[in-house]
Amino acid sequence: MEHIVKILEINTITHDVKSFKVERPASYSFVPGQATELSINKPNWKEEKRPFTFTSLDKDPFLEFTIKGYSDHKGVTNQLHQLIVGDELIIGDVWGAIEYKGPGYFIAGGAGITPFIAILRHLALENKLKGNRLLFSNKTSADIIYEKELTEILGKDAVYILTQEEIPGYKKGYIDEAFLLSEIKDFYKNFYVCGPDKMISDINNILIKHGAKPDAVIFEK
């Protein structure tokens, strides 16, 4: 079932990421980590559906999406970043395999953090963050989505890795086998992995190689 919803608020999060708060349809419900397909309610764009994760919480009176714009592709995300308050989106049904199953490691690359935002916000609200750690890779510090909020709720358990910058307080390099072995003390915990497809595949293989149970590695298949 599709719903047409108005944009209520747009906020700039980083140099190429914006959050969109939109109307929430009556009785529309989701679990933190889930997503929907979204398109723009304008001629030529209505059928251009793309998946986006909710970064709001199920208790919020609005829906929020946090979306990276790719200006080099003249596609949906670039078009979304041109929208203004009052424009309309079309959203579909809720879906998604990323769901919190207990304490563990959240491993994200770039915009792959978005399924974890609602989960971590929900855990913070419920005072259940203990035992969770975030490993978040970006090219530069300017690319880190919601860095201030993530640091506030996770403290030292928010670890930022930069691939193209060397700055005190941030790790330098990639989330590779050596890095994972230096950061992970217990491979029998839950692992939540999201990012580019190759990154997910590489990390999952490393985790399972070192003892992670396949059903404890949670990612969007």
Side-chain angles (χ1 to χ4, degrees):
M1 185 176 176
E2 290 189 335
H3 306 270
I4 295 174
V5 294
K6 269 198 173 66
I7 297 175
L8 305 172
E9 191 178 311
I10 301 172
N11 292 297
T12 298
I13 306 302
T14 72
H15 64 98
D16 60 359
V17 174
K18 290 183 177 182
S19 76
F20 299 81
K21 291 182 180 176
V22 306
E23 292 172 325
R24 178 177 180 151
S27 72
Y28 194 89
S29 188
F30 62 92
V31 173
Q34 288 191 308
T36 188
E37 282 204 326
L38 178 158
S39 61
I40 300 165
N41 192 27
K42 288 188 175 184
N44 304 324
W45 291 101
K46 292 182 183 183
E47 298 307 315
E48 294 291 326
K49 298 171 185 175
R50 300 290 185 275
F52 293 103
T53 312
F54 304 104
T55 50
S56 49
L57 297 180
D58 200 36
K59 70 171 187 62
D60 292 330
F62 53 84
L63 299 175
E64 181 192 61
F65 301 93
T66 302
I67 298 172
K68 182 175 179 176
Y70 296 87
S71 55
D72 53 337
H73 308 57
K74 299 303 175 191
V76 173
T77 62
N78 182 58
Q79 193 66 23
L80 280 164
H81 274 230
Q82 313 309 314
L83 298 181
I84 59 171
V85 169
D87 284 339
E88 293 177 337
L89 303 178
I90 303 167
I91 61 170
D93 291 330
V94 170
W95 55 270
I98 296 180
E99 188 177 342
Y100 187 67
K101 294 184 177 180
Y105 294 87
F106 289 83
I107 305 172
I113 190 68
T114 53
F116 303 153
I117 298 297
I119 294 174
L120 293 169
R121 284 174 171 172
H122 178 72
L123 292 175
L125 206 63
E126 300 275 311
N127 202 21
K128 292 179 179 174
L129 278 167
K130 191 176 178 185
N132 288 294
R133 191 164 172 81
L134 171 67
L135 309 176
F136 187 12
S137 174
N138 287 273
K139 290 177 183 175
T140 72
S141 60
D143 296 314
I144 303 173
I145 298 169
Y146 294 127
E147 179 181 8
K148 184 171 180 286
E149 181 183 358
L150 291 169
T151 301
E152 278 174 1
I153 63 177
L154 283 162
K156 290 181 180 176
D157 285 315
V159 179
Y160 304 105
I161 308 99
L162 306 178
T163 60
Q164 295 181 7
E165 256 183 354
E166 200 153 341
I167 303 177
Y170 299 82
K171 307 272 186 179
K172 171 74 165 68
Y174 292 86
I175 301 184
D176 54 16
E177 188 167 19
F179 178 82
L180 290 169
L181 287 172
S182 72
E183 288 292 331
I184 295 169
K185 307 302 175 214
D186 180 2
F187 281 90
Y188 292 97
K189 290 188 97 171
N190 292 299
F191 293 92
Y192 306 89
V193 187
C194 195
D197 289 344
K198 186 175 186 312
M199 174 187 167
I200 292 173
S201 173
D202 290 348
I203 288 172
N204 288 0
N205 288 336
I206 294 164
L207 295 174
I208 288 163
K209 174 184 170 183
H210 289 281
K213 294 177 181 171
D215 61 355
V217 180
I218 298 124
F219 61 100
E220 201 63 70
K221 298 174 178 67

